[in-house]
Amino acid sequence: MSIRDLARHLDISIGTVSRALNGKSDVNPETRERVLAAAKKLGYVPNQSGRSLRQGTTNTIGFMIESTIETADNGGSFFMPVFEGVQSVFRRHHLDLVALLCGTDEDPSAYLNRVVGRRFVDGLIISATTRNDPRITFLLDRKIPFVALGRSATGGAYPWIDLDFEGVAATAVTRLVNFGHNRIAIGVPASDINLGYVFQDGYKHALAANGIPFDPALVLPAHSNEEGGYQVASAMLAQKHMPTAVILVNENMAIGLYRRFYEAGIHPGRDIAVIGFRESTQSRFLSPTLTCFRISLRDLGIKLAEALLSTMPAFRNNYPQERVELIWPMELVPGESDVLKRTA
Amino acid sequence: MSIRDLARHLDISIGTVSRALNGKSDVNPETRERVLAAAKKLGYVPNQSGRSLRQGTTNTIGFMIESTIETADNGGSFFMPVFEGVQSVFRRHHLDLVALLCGTDEDPSAYLNRVVGRRFVDGLIISATTRNDPRITFLLDRKIPFVALGRSATGGAYPWIDLDFEGVAATAVTRLVNFGHNRIAIGVPASDINLGYVFQDGYKHALAANGIPFDPALVLPAHSNEEGGYQVASAMLAQKHMPTAVILVNENMAIGLYRRFYEAGIHPGRDIAVIGFRESTQSRFLSPTLTCFRISLRDLGIKLAEALLSTMPAFRNNYPQERVELIWPMELVPGESDVLKRTA
């Protein structure tokens, strides 16, 4: 149903139909009413592609995620609730959200360049920021509104929100030290993703604050999935003095780690202390239930959307004008996995 | 960086720059080279919005998913590998994939109507088909190329691919009957999603084929997540004659089901037989490992992409011309969860 079809149906000129749809005052009120009624009935929707050229807006915001191994394994359960929160804000402004999927073997910067060229988004949310992230410079240079989910060492003034990886590491280390542990391993991402660096820094600071020397042998890089957790457990089992506790940067790792320890006759929550990362729908159904950290991903999505809109001329008046640079706190959810209950 | 900026930078007319970029022969080769070099250096990308009006194409395909409770919980781990497969085909044709996210409280048909109106996609992949799905009629009426992931009772000639829910139900029932079970429960979706009907039909047929009467009390509707699995186990425990086996339509349910049975002192794989649905990254790390069914989601994505492109004039010559109506087989992966090993 194009405007041409609509005009033909009504037997009115295209120009008149267009002026009626756009609320121009030189159209007879009865005609306008007929046009609007027919447009509604026939499901006419303006060609956004033409509108975008005239108005420079598409009413669409892109959320760029990378469908790498990392996100393929666990990105979905993370991103879906975030999308929900973002959408709840966008709905107020009749904005649609699309997920821009950057493929595994594609350079994220080249992808972003192309997406921006297509001009079907008015603004962007980027995620999985790397330690040095050229996308940030690219978007700043072009004055394209964006917000980053994740920090980066790349400079520039832009809004970002990140999870409190330092806080999680510090809380987990201190909790385990209080339980009597001093050989505490961490399972960290094998990739260049910035959160890996931040998490390790938090771990080191917390060890130092508790007077425990840092031992690089206890930093175990692995994929952020079940297989990675299985490998972390294997690496721990192979050590001469096995660590008595482990903190994982991803909750899916816990399932593989549990399995590997069970195979070795070692019971998590009895023989070894485990702290996972984010509370998921599974955490409290695992045996033992997983000590982890709670975050409302929907609220995170809401805040991301608001941080973005506060930078966009068409929407900024609805939101506070400070640039959002926010470390999102996560709340400890004690489980059975890190309090060792000796049966003997 | 618009074509205007590029022309100004080069001190050449916009028309000449445009003809150079579009490879017209009436441009001096040296000039063309200067233009292309500057476009590359300055990161100029053509305004796709303008191009889309002229060519009627956006080189973008939309994959519509609903961010409902069902998908929020488990959609990600399913869809991400499918996206990967779709993208591997689209890349050959310089097509980009975007995920169109229909929010929880939005009518999928109204959403689709709006997306189609925005005209930023050349074709669509729809998923989570309902028993009667007005989106199918809408897209057929408008001759918009699409492929459906999932069947529907809605009529019309369109390409679709669906998982072999009947086959899974039949294989699982027959396997459990051969192990001596005759009270076999199923955990099915609580929603109107078409796969729930198909799965139940397969279950009933397989029972009949094995001479076991159908007992509606053994059909247990629940959310397709851990919580749902927990509830299915509770419902089983509450029955006077507890079923000795259960087939779940979703693998995430297994984790909650295991937990509930453990709490009751009942060990899956020893006291009760469990067959999950799709093999996930977790299946072989659970204790007991989960008997489930294997599918390559990446291959499924490839086939979806090819089924769509075979209907699109610009690409159809590269693909077989039969309309794809395909029930995708799934292969049994035996685990420890359904072979009862009595310790006594």
Side-chain angles (χ1 to χ4, degrees):
Chain A
M1 171 59 56
S2 68
I3 194 163
R4 186 183 304 274
D5 300 329
L6 190 60
R8 197 176 295 143
H9 172 85
L10 288 161
D11 199 16
I12 302 181
S13 79
I14 294 181
T16 303
V17 171
S18 169
R19 288 199 303 282
L21 291 171
N22 288 302
K24 304 283 188 200
S25 58
D26 58 351
V27 181
N28 169 321
E30 273 172 42
T31 307
R32 176 175 319 147
E33 213 158 285
R34 264 187 71 208
V35 171
L36 294 180
K40 192 174 173 189
K41 186 178 156 217
L42 301 172
Y44 169 77
V45 268
N47 182 332
Q48 198 61 44
S49 179
R51 172 166 290 191
S52 126
L53 270 187
R54 289 192 308 276
Q55 306 184 341
T57 63
T58 61
N59 292 319
T60 303
I61 305 290
F63 197 133
M64 179 175 167
I65 60 177
E66 293 167 46
S67 43
T68 59
I69 290 173
E70 302 264 311
T71 56
D73 286 343
N74 63 55
S77 60
F78 180 85
F79 283 111
M80 292 288 179
V82 176
F83 291 161
E84 255 295 290
V86 170
Q87 283 174 308
S88 72
V89 175
F90 284 0
R91 208 167 292 132
R92 296 177 208 152
H93 304 289
H94 306 289
L95 290 168
D96 278 326
L97 177 69
V98 298
L100 304 170
L101 306 160
C102 176
T104 300
D105 38 6
E106 178 141 38
D107 172 54
S109 293
Y111 175 85
L112 186 67
N113 194 325
R114 195 167 71 243
V115 165
V116 165
R118 293 207 196 282
R119 286 180 177 72
F120 61 61
V121 294
D122 292 341
L124 282 157
I125 301 171
I126 63 172
S127 62
T129 45
T130 50
R131 192 149 177 81
N132 290 294
D133 201 318
R135 296 177 300 172
I136 291 169
T137 315
F138 175 86
L139 292 169
L140 284 173
D141 284 354
R142 279 154 193 78
K143 301 195 196 315
I144 292 163
F146 76 101
V147 58
L149 174 52
R151 278 159 283 181
S152 167
T154 301
Y158 59 92
W160 56 261
I161 300 177
D162 203 355
L163 307 193
D164 186 11
F165 293 98
E166 292 102 331
V168 165
T171 302
V173 166
T174 304
R175 181 172 163 90
L176 291 168
V177 170
N178 289 342
F179 288 160
H181 299 276
N182 55 33
R183 279 185 64 73
I184 303 167
I186 53 172
V188 298
S191 72
D192 187 45
I193 194 162
N194 195 55
L195 68 88
Y197 297 92
V198 176
F199 188 72
Q200 276 190 59
D201 284 349
Y203 166 75
K204 284 180 197 169
H205 287 142
L207 287 180
N210 285 283
I212 298 173
F214 170 68
D215 178 357
L218 299 184
V219 176
L220 306 170
H223 281 304
S224 295
N225 57 19
E226 295 79 2
E227 182 74 45
Y230 192 89
Q231 285 161 1
V232 166
S234 291
M236 289 171 69
L237 288 163
Q239 298 203 357
K240 202 171 172 185
H241 299 289
M242 195 175 90
T244 57
V246 60
I247 307 166
L248 301 170
V249 77
N250 176 284
E251 55 285 0
N252 291 309
M253 299 174 84
I255 291 179
L257 183 113
Y258 278 17
R259 175 80 199 186
R260 181 67 189 89
F261 278 129
Y262 279 128
E263 287 174 1
I266 292 172
H267 283 230
R270 190 190 74 186
D271 309 318
I272 184 149
V274 180
I275 298 186
F277 186 66
R278 187 175 63 83
E279 183 190 40
S280 72
T281 53
Q282 307 194 329
S283 317
R284 68 195 171 95
F285 294 110
L286 298 179
S287 301
T289 58
L290 186 63
T291 295
C292 51
F293 293 85
R294 183 170 297 163
I295 175 176
S296 164
L297 294 177
R298 189 169 193 280
D299 290 345
L300 175 66
I302 289 172
K303 193 71 190 174
L304 275 172
E306 293 181 348
L308 174 65
L309 296 182
S310 76
T311 71
M312 297 176 69
F315 309 105
R316 60 169 16 132
N317 291 338
N318 299 290
Y319 300 99
Q321 285 304 300
E322 310 84 63
R323 185 169 61 245
V324 174
E325 297 183 347
L326 186 62
I327 293 180
W328 196 280
M330 297 180 71
E331 179 200 349
L332 180 81
V333 182
E336 303 160 348
S337 62
D338 68 340
V339 185
L340 305 192
K341 292 184 204 117
R342 304 270 170 196
T343 45
Chain B
M1 169 62 53
S2 68
I3 194 164
R4 187 183 302 274
D5 300 330
L6 190 59
R8 196 176 295 144
H9 172 85
L10 288 161
D11 200 15
I12 302 180
S13 79
I14 294 179
T16 303
V17 171
S18 169
R19 288 199 305 282
L21 291 172
N22 288 304
K24 305 281 185 197
S25 58
D26 59 351
V27 181
N28 169 320
E30 274 172 43
T31 306
R32 176 176 318 148
E33 214 158 285
R34 263 186 72 208
V35 170
L36 295 179
K40 190 173 174 189
K41 187 180 154 214
L42 300 173
Y44 169 79
V45 270
N47 183 333
Q48 196 66 42
S49 180
R51 170 164 292 188
S52 124
L53 270 186
R54 289 192 309 276
Q55 305 184 343
T57 62
T58 61
N59 292 318
T60 304
I61 305 289
F63 197 133
M64 179 174 165
I65 60 177
E66 293 166 46
S67 43
T68 59
I69 290 172
E70 302 266 311
T71 56
D73 285 344
N74 62 55
S77 61
F78 179 86
F79 283 112
M80 292 287 178
V82 176
F83 291 160
E84 256 296 290
V86 170
Q87 285 174 307
S88 73
V89 175
F90 284 179
R91 207 167 292 132
R92 298 178 207 150
H93 305 288
H94 306 290
L95 289 169
D96 278 324
L97 176 69
V98 298
L100 304 171
L101 307 159
C102 176
T104 300
D105 39 5
E106 178 141 37
D107 172 55
S109 294
Y111 176 85
L112 186 66
N113 193 325
R114 197 169 68 244
V115 164
V116 165
R118 293 206 196 284
R119 289 182 175 72
F120 60 61
V121 295
D122 291 340
L124 281 158
I125 301 171
I126 64 172
S127 62
T129 45
T130 49
R131 192 150 178 81
N132 290 296
D133 202 319
R135 296 176 300 172
I136 291 170
T137 316
F138 174 85
L139 293 169
L140 284 173
D141 285 352
R142 280 156 193 77
K143 301 195 196 317
I144 292 163
F146 76 101
V147 59
L149 174 53
R151 275 160 286 179
S152 168
T154 301
Y158 58 92
W160 55 261
I161 301 177
D162 203 355
L163 306 193
D164 185 10
F165 293 97
E166 291 102 330
V168 165
T171 302
V173 166
T174 304
R175 181 173 162 91
L176 291 169
V177 170
N178 289 342
F179 289 159
H181 299 274
N182 54 33
R183 279 186 64 74
I184 303 168
I186 52 171
V188 299
S191 72
D192 187 46
I193 194 163
N194 194 56
L195 67 89
Y197 297 91
V198 176
F199 188 73
Q200 276 189 59
D201 284 348
Y203 166 75
K204 285 181 197 168
H205 288 143
L207 286 180
N210 285 284
I212 297 173
F214 170 67
D215 179 356
L218 298 184
V219 176
L220 306 171
H223 281 304
S224 295
N225 57 19
E226 294 80 2
E227 182 74 44
Y230 191 89
Q231 286 160 0
V232 166
S234 292
M236 290 171 69
L237 288 163
Q239 298 203 357
K240 202 170 172 186
H241 298 289
M242 194 175 91
T244 58
V246 60
I247 308 167
L248 302 170
V249 77
N250 176 283
E251 56 285 359
N252 292 309
M253 299 173 85
I255 292 178
L257 182 114
Y258 278 16
R259 174 80 199 187
R260 181 69 189 91
F261 279 128
Y262 279 128
E263 287 173 1
I266 291 172
H267 283 228
R270 190 191 74 185
D271 308 319
I272 184 147
V274 180
I275 299 187
F277 186 67
R278 185 174 64 81
E279 183 190 40
S280 72
T281 52
Q282 306 193 330
S283 317
R284 69 194 171 93
F285 292 110
L286 297 179
S287 302
T289 58
L290 185 65
T291 295
C292 51
F293 293 85
R294 182 170 297 165
I295 175 175
S296 165
L297 294 176
R298 191 170 191 279
D299 289 346
L300 175 66
I302 288 172
K303 192 72 190 172
L304 276 172
E306 293 180 350
L308 175 64
L309 296 183
S310 75
T311 71
M312 297 176 68
F315 309 106
R316 59 169 18 130
N317 291 338
N318 299 289
Y319 300 99
Q321 284 305 299
E322 310 86 63
R323 186 171 58 246
V324 174
E325 295 183 348
L326 185 63
I327 293 180
W328 196 278
M330 297 180 69
E331 178 201 349
L332 181 81
V333 182
E336 303 159 348
S337 62
D338 68 340
V339 185
L340 304 192
K341 291 184 205 115
R342 305 266 169 200
T343 45

